[in-house]
Amino acid sequence: MEHYSMNLNLKVWRQKNNSEKGGFKMYRVENISSEMSFLEMFDVLNEQLVHGGEEPIAFDHDCREGICGTCSMYINGKPHGPWQANTTCQLHMRAFKDGDTIVVEPWRAGAFPVIKDLMVDRSAFDRIIQAGGYISVNTGNAVDGNAIPIAKDKADASFAAAMCIGCGACVAACKNSSAMLFLSAKVSHLALLPQGEPERKSRVLDMVAQMDKEGFGACTNTGACEATCPKEISLSNIARLNQEYLVASLTANK
Ligand code: SF4
Ligand code: FES
């Protein structure tokens, strides 16, 4: 497809900090290339704002390669925008047409308070991982990969779960702000491997307890999380999490 350039209207959420009320502001950007990434388009807008003496829009980004999970923008009512299995940084402007109005908001969830503009505080996810997302390892050289045989289907399922980049889109998409898809990915990738066995029960109990403490909502199986996840984390992980939790609650010596 031919490259093209477009003029766009942007309706962007601006909020000074967590205690002040935010609101939408309209901006106009011109001559945006269809091959720019969404974040590059925001860079252009921010330069424009700085030149005009206005404060640039705060937004999170790091890798711009779809792997760090920081680029949290709610674009036209969808976390990470209109493309399937995609992050905001990998969204390109060819997803839009000349003259479009694009609405951009931060993730909306009580457990992810807005820091400024489009930046939210996702440290609740860090605390959930700290509660149990680790394994015990002996010091010394790493064990040879072939020394621990793992069935192919288990290795594949574990790897698929480990793809979660902790972006929080699942929480933002869920009407209950549930973190179950994220947590199920983190629990599954370790529960499926022999290396995760020693802390298998305490891990799931501690991580679920931390999730509840952070104020995420309950899962009612609407599937909005799976549909929006940039890494296509499967709902089947939530079924595994529930099973892991049940077995651990019935049998753990805690
Ligand atoms: S499960 Fe998907 S949407 Fe949720 S944090 Fe992980 S990568 Fe992001
Ligand atoms: S900036 Fe790293 S995933 Fe988008």
Side-chain angles (χ1 to χ4, degrees):
M1 199 177 163
E2 285 285 299
H3 295 192
Y4 56 96
S5 72
M6 60 195 122
N7 300 335
L8 298 161
N9 302 309
L10 295 162
K11 193 175 168 188
V12 184
W13 186 262
R14 302 295 315 251
Q15 187 171 342
K16 272 205 167 64
N17 53 46
N18 190 248
S19 44
E20 282 192 37
K21 229 174 131 214
F24 284 107
K25 245 190 126 177
M26 289 299 294
Y27 301 99
R28 174 114 176 133
V29 280
E30 300 194 334
N31 293 321
I32 296 296
S33 160
S34 57
E35 299 318 298
M36 268 184 187
S37 76
F38 199 81
L39 297 187
E40 282 167 342
M41 183 274 291
F42 254 78
D43 294 338
V44 170
L45 170 60
N46 270 347
E47 269 183 42
Q48 210 171 285
L49 292 179
V50 171
H51 278 284
E54 266 193 73
E55 254 209 80
I57 300 162
F59 61 93
D60 264 326
H61 61 102
D62 189 1
C63 71
R64 298 200 179 201
E65 288 182 346
I67 51 176
C68 75
T70 57
C71 52
S72 46
M73 290 189 192
Y74 211 91
I75 303 161
N76 285 349
K78 221 179 151 232
H80 295 301
W83 285 353
Q84 275 304 112
N86 193 66
T87 53
T88 297
C89 59
Q90 295 292 293
L91 176 66
H92 281 72
M93 295 314 294
R94 57 183 174 273
F96 304 95
K97 297 189 307 299
D98 187 32
D100 274 358
T101 296
I102 309 173
V103 183
V104 190
E105 298 166 78
W107 282 179
R108 305 273 189 201
F112 290 158
V114 172
I115 296 172
K116 188 176 177 165
D117 300 331
L118 304 172
M119 287 176 82
V120 300
D121 178 358
R122 275 169 297 185
S123 57
F125 270 12
D126 297 335
R127 290 187 290 275
I128 293 173
I129 293 176
Q130 278 161 12
Y134 53 83
I135 57 164
S136 305
V137 286
N138 295 324
T139 52
N141 288 345
V143 184
D144 189 275
N146 293 334
I148 308 169
I150 300 167
K152 175 86 167 83
D153 59 336
K154 290 255 168 79
D156 286 351
S158 170
F159 194 77
M163 293 288 285
C164 166
I165 53 174
C167 65
C170 45
V171 174
C174 175
K175 67 179 168 65
N176 310 316
S177 300
S178 166
M180 282 289 272
L181 193 67
F182 160 78
L183 178 59
S184 72
K186 298 299 168 204
V187 165
S188 288
H189 90 265
L190 295 175
L192 283 158
L193 298 178
Q195 288 92 334
E197 201 55 38
E199 292 92 4
R200 188 168 176 174
K201 292 177 185 172
S202 59
R203 173 181 307 115
V204 64
L205 295 175
D206 292 346
M207 289 179 90
V208 168
Q210 188 64 39
M211 176 180 70
D212 291 342
K213 214 157 111 190
E214 299 292 348
F216 292 102
C219 172
T220 51
N221 285 311
T222 62
C225 52
E226 184 189 54
T228 204
C229 173
K231 299 297 163 183
E232 300 186 295
I233 299 295
S234 160
L235 273 185
S236 62
N237 287 299
I238 295 186
R240 184 180 299 105
L241 169 63
N242 287 334
Q243 194 187 343
E244 290 286 323
Y245 185 77
L246 183 68
V247 171
S249 351
L250 295 175
T251 59
N253 311 314
K254 288 194 85 185

